[in-house]
Amino acid sequence: MENCVGIKPKVRVIPAKSRQVLMGRGNGNGETSKLRVAAYARVSTDHEEQESSYEAQVEHFTRYIEGHEDWEMAGIFADPGISGKNIKRPEFQRMIAECENGRIDKIITKSVSRFARNTLDCVQSVRKLKEQGIGVYFEKENLDTLQESSEFVLTIMASLAEEESRSISNNIRWSIKKKFENGQVVMSTASFLGYTMDKDGKLQIVPEQAVTVKRIYGEFLDGYSLSEIANGLMRDGVLSPKGKTTWHPTTIKSILQNEKYKGDCHLQKTYLPDFLSPRRIKNEGQADSYYVEDSHAGIVSKEMFEMVQQEFKNRNELRSSYQTGRGKYSGKYAFSGMITCGECGETYRRHQQYNRYKTYYIWVCKRHENTGKQNCSAKPLKEEAIKQAFVRALNGLLKERDKILDRLTNAIVGEITDDCESDTKEIDESIQIAQDKIVQALRQYQFGQIGFEDYERTAKELKREIDALNLKRAEILDEQSKVQLAEYRIDAVKRLLQDGTMLEEFDKSMFKSLVKRMKVIHGNELEIEFECGIKVREIVK
C-alpha cells in the first residue's frame, strides 16, 4: 500500500509496556523491578481431613513463587472452610483490595473451581482485574487471563465448575433429605445448649447443661419474663449456648420454643432456594419438612413443653395495649401488663411520684392518662397498696384453705385430658391412612394403571384432608395444653395452701406464679384472678 506521494509507509511496532513500567516501578536503568505475585487458595469445608489440602496449597504456592527469579511474594490469601459459590470471602476480598491499591501485579491459583464456582462472579472478578492490568493464572487449566482468548475459555471452565458445584450440592441435599425421611437428626450441636452429638450421630444429653434448660422452663412457668430469666442466668454466672457470659431474651425464647427439648425434632425448618443462595430461608411450606416424634431423649416433659407454649399465648393476650394489641408482654415490674381498667379495658402504667418526705410509685390507666378523665374516670392506685391487697387476698385463701382445697380437688379440668389423647390418636391414624393412599395412587400412576390427572386429583384431595386433620389435631393439643397448664397452676396453689404459712410481705415471684390478671372494678376495688381460676376482691387502701 502506497501513500499519496507513492512512498510505501513504514510501520514500527511499539511494544506494550509491562505493568511495572506503567506503575512507574523501573529501576532507572531501563530494567524493571520484580513482578509482585500473590496466590489464592481455598478449600470448600473446614473438615479435619481437608486441612492438609489447604496447607498443601499454601506450601505449593510458596515454592512456586520463590522458584521464579523475576517474581517476588505479594502474599498468600487463603480462605479455609469457605464455599466458593460466591465471592464474599474475607481473604478473597482482601486480595482484590490489595490489587486495587497497586500492591499486586499477578495472581496464581490452583484451578477455576478454587477461584470461584459461580460463573458470573468468576468472569466479573477477572474482568475487573484485567482492567487494571492484573492477570490471573489458573495452574490446572494452564490459563492466563491476559491472553487474547482467555475469557472464552474461562467462561467455559467457570460454567463447568458451577455445574460441578450444583451436582455436589444436589447430592448433599438428596443425602440429607433421605436422612430426614428416615427420621435421622442432622444438626450441629456446637452452640446448642443441653445436647451433644455422639460418634454415631445421635443426640445425647449433657447433664450440667440440662439443669440450665430445666431452670429456664421452670422460671418461665413461674411467671418470669424472658429478660428476667436472662438477667438471673448472667447474675449466677451461667454460660450461654455459645459459651458466653451474656444472655439475650431471644436466646431464652428460642430454647423455650425448640421442640428438641421435649425429645422431638422438626427437620428442614429452613431451606436453600438454590445452591448459589448465600443464606437459608425460613421454610413456610415452600419445601417439605419432617417432624420426628421421640427421636431422642427429652430434657423436659412433653407436658411441660406444651404448657410453656400455652403460656406464650396467654402472655400474648396480656399485651400492654388493650385497644391495638400491638404492645408486648413486660415483666420489668411485678404488675406490668397485669392490671386492666374495668371502665375502659386499657392496661395500667407505672409512674414515679414525689412528695416532701419520700418517693413512691403509682399505677395509672393509660386511657385516663392519655385522653383525660372525660374518657375514663379511673383513679391512680398506689403500688404499695396493690401489694398489700395481694397479701391480704392470698392470706384470705390460706385461712379458708380447707374449703379452697376441696374446690380445687373437685375441679373437672383433668377429665378432658384422656379424651384429648384418644382423639389425637384417631387423627394420627387417619393421617397415616391418607398418606398411604397417596403412595398407592403414585404407584398406580407409575405402573400405568391411572393417568397423571387422576393421580393429581386424588393426591390434592387427600392432601386437603390431611391439612384439615392436622388443623383439628392442633386445636385439640391446644386445648389439652390449656388443661395441663391449669392443672399445673392448681397444683402450685395446693402446695401453698397445704403449707399454710401466712405471707408477711409481698413476694414478686409468688405473685407472678399465682396471679393471672387483676381488674380495677370501680374506684379502688380490685379483683384478683388467680391462675387456678379463683377470684378474690380486695379494697386498695
Side-chain angles (χ1 to χ4, degrees):
M1 179 179 177
E2 296 182 354
N3 58 20
C4 57
V5 293
I7 301 173
K8 185 177 181 180
K10 296 179 180 180
V11 179
R12 180 167 56 89
V13 177
I14 303 173
K17 296 179 181 179
S18 66
R19 177 174 167 81
Q20 293 98 311
V21 173
L22 290 172
M23 295 291 292
R25 294 179 56 235
N27 60 9
N29 297 321
E31 298 178 359
T32 56
S33 58
K34 292 183 178 182
L35 197 68
R36 298 168 299 179
V37 181
Y40 180 72
R42 180 186 63 80
V43 293
S44 298
T45 68
D46 54 1
H47 293 166
E48 186 177 344
E49 61 269 21
Q50 288 200 347
E51 287 181 2
S52 59
S53 173
Y54 162 65
E55 297 295 342
Q57 287 187 61
V58 174
E59 183 181 352
H60 166 72
F61 288 127
T62 301
R63 290 199 310 268
Y64 189 83
I65 293 172
E66 291 176 349
H68 290 74
E69 293 183 359
D70 57 339
W71 288 8
E72 68 176 36
M73 174 68 73
I76 294 181
F77 301 83
D79 283 309
I82 297 180
S83 170
K85 290 186 290 186
N86 61 69
I87 58 174
K88 294 178 180 179
R89 292 165 262 154
E91 286 295 281
F92 187 91
Q93 294 293 344
R94 190 168 73 87
M95 179 180 68
I96 297 299
E98 290 290 281
C99 291
E100 291 174 347
N101 292 328
R103 300 190 183 101
I104 296 173
D105 301 317
K106 186 181 185 70
I107 296 171
I108 59 173
T109 189
K110 184 178 179 181
S111 66
V112 174
S113 63
R114 295 298 91 192
F115 193 74
R117 285 189 180 273
N118 183 321
T119 306
L120 182 61
D121 286 343
C122 182
V123 173
Q124 286 181 342
S125 298
V126 166
R127 283 177 179 171
K128 185 177 180 180
L129 293 168
K130 194 173 181 179
E131 288 173 359
Q132 302 173 58
I134 302 171
V136 181
Y137 177 68
F138 301 98
E139 188 178 15
K140 181 180 177 181
E141 293 83 5
N142 191 25
L143 179 66
D144 191 328
T145 59
L146 292 182
Q147 295 173 350
E148 290 286 333
S149 60
S150 64
E151 184 163 323
F152 174 71
V153 178
L154 177 65
T155 303
I156 295 174
M157 293 296 182
S159 298
L160 292 174
E162 182 175 317
E163 190 56 38
E164 179 188 359
S165 181
R166 188 194 310 275
S167 177
I168 292 171
S169 176
N170 288 340
N171 289 340
I172 293 173
R173 291 167 73 178
W174 181 87
S175 175
I176 292 175
K177 182 179 179 181
K178 286 301 177 185
K179 290 179 179 179
F180 285 170
E181 290 175 349
N182 294 328
Q184 186 175 344
V185 177
V186 180
M187 60 172 288
S188 171
T189 57
S191 58
F192 192 77
L193 189 71
Y195 287 102
T196 187
M197 195 79 76
D198 65 15
K199 61 181 181 180
D200 297 322
K202 295 182 180 179
L203 288 176
Q204 298 294 331
I205 294 175
V206 181
E208 57 272 23
Q209 294 180 2
V211 172
T212 303
V213 174
K214 290 178 179 178
R215 168 179 170 172
I216 291 170
Y217 274 74
E219 289 185 353
F220 187 75
L221 287 176
D222 285 342
Y224 288 82
S225 69
L226 302 178
S227 297
E228 286 176 318
I229 297 172
N231 292 335
L233 292 170
M234 288 189 286
R235 181 191 62 234
D236 296 340
V238 180
L239 296 180
S240 72
K242 293 185 177 180
K244 306 294 185 181
T245 56
T246 302
W247 282 81
H248 299 283
T250 51
T251 305
I252 302 297
K253 186 176 182 180
S254 68
I255 291 173
L256 290 169
Q257 293 184 332
N258 195 320
E259 77 290 337
K260 293 179 184 67
Y261 290 110
K262 66 171 178 174
D264 295 351
C265 195
H266 190 182
L267 303 172
Q268 198 154 305
K269 294 179 184 177
T270 61
Y271 76 104
L272 282 172
D274 57 74
F275 83 104
L276 290 175
S277 179
R279 63 184 181 86
R280 301 186 69 84
I281 295 174
K282 184 178 180 181
N283 185 2
E284 296 179 328
Q286 302 94 324
D288 291 340
S289 65
Y290 308 85
Y291 194 93
V292 186
E293 294 187 28
D294 302 318
S295 62
H296 56 278
I299 292 177
V300 300
S301 67
K302 294 183 186 296
E303 291 75 20
M304 175 170 274
F305 182 84
E306 296 305 329
M307 285 191 289
V308 164
Q309 309 321 305
Q310 185 59 46
E311 177 65 9
F312 271 113
K313 293 177 182 177
N314 292 348
R315 293 188 184 190
N316 192 51
E317 293 174 0
L318 288 174
R319 285 178 181 271
S320 59
S321 178
Y322 176 84
Q323 297 296 328
T324 66
R326 289 196 292 265
K328 66 177 181 178
Y329 176 85
S330 171
K332 187 175 182 180
Y333 308 109
F335 306 131
S336 296
M338 298 288 285
I339 308 174
T340 57
C341 178
E343 183 176 338
C344 71
E346 187 57 277
T347 54
Y348 275 56
R349 178 185 291 148
R350 190 181 197 241
H351 281 286
Q352 191 175 37
Q353 295 287 305
Y354 306 91
N355 61 22
R356 293 171 58 187
Y357 307 104
K358 63 178 182 179
T359 300
Y360 63 97
Y361 297 95
I362 62 171
W363 287 81
V364 184
C365 171
K366 287 193 288 187
R367 170 165 285 195
H368 173 89
E369 178 187 28
N370 294 332
T371 63
K373 62 181 180 181
Q374 65 272 18
N375 292 306
C376 181
S377 61
K379 296 180 179 179
L381 301 176
K382 290 185 178 180
E383 182 174 272
E384 190 58 35
I386 300 173
K387 290 180 179 179
Q388 293 306 314
F390 166 71
V391 171
R392 290 196 303 273
L394 186 58
N395 288 337
L397 293 181
L398 292 171
K399 289 177 182 177
E400 300 184 20
R401 60 178 176 272
D402 293 335
K403 185 191 299 183
I404 300 298
L405 279 170
D406 184 60
R407 175 180 169 184
L408 294 177
T409 302
N410 294 327
I412 61 171
V413 290
E415 296 179 4
I416 307 174
T417 308
D418 293 336
D419 293 337
C420 288
E421 290 177 355
S422 61
D423 288 344
T424 53
K425 186 177 180 180
E426 290 178 8
I427 289 174
D428 289 340
E429 290 174 354
S430 299
I431 290 173
Q432 186 60 55
I433 291 171
Q435 290 174 338
D436 291 342
K437 287 181 178 179
I438 292 176
V439 173
Q440 183 181 358
L442 178 59
R443 287 175 178 169
Q444 288 176 334
Y445 165 65
Q446 290 173 335
F447 287 106
Q449 297 172 355
I450 61 174
F452 177 75
E453 291 182 358
D454 291 334
Y455 160 71
E456 192 176 40
R457 183 175 60 255
T458 301
K460 283 183 178 180
E461 290 175 358
L462 289 168
K463 285 178 180 178
R464 281 197 295 268
E465 181 182 334
I466 290 172
D467 288 342
L469 288 168
N470 278 323
L471 182 61
K472 186 177 179 181
R473 187 180 192 276
E475 291 173 351
I476 292 173
L477 290 175
D478 184 57
E479 187 63 29
Q480 187 179 23
S481 64
K482 288 180 182 178
V483 170
Q484 291 168 342
L485 184 57
E487 290 177 335
Y488 180 86
R489 303 300 191 199
I490 288 173
D491 288 340
V493 175
K494 280 184 177 180
R495 289 193 298 271
L496 179 68
L497 294 176
Q498 287 168 345
D499 178 62
T501 304
M502 292 288 185
L503 194 65
E504 295 183 359
E505 60 182 16
F506 180 79
D507 185 293
K508 179 181 176 181
S509 61
M510 187 174 289
F511 172 82
K512 298 285 276 188
S513 64
L514 295 178
V515 175
K516 185 175 183 179
R517 62 172 64 90
M518 297 189 295
K519 181 190 291 186
V520 181
I521 304 302
H522 51 77
N524 59 347
E525 187 175 7
L526 188 65
E527 181 183 79
I528 303 172
E529 182 180 353
F530 288 85
E531 290 282 5
C532 62
I534 296 173
K535 295 180 181 179
V536 178
R537 291 194 178 188
E538 285 288 337
I539 300 297
V540 181
K541 301 175 182 179

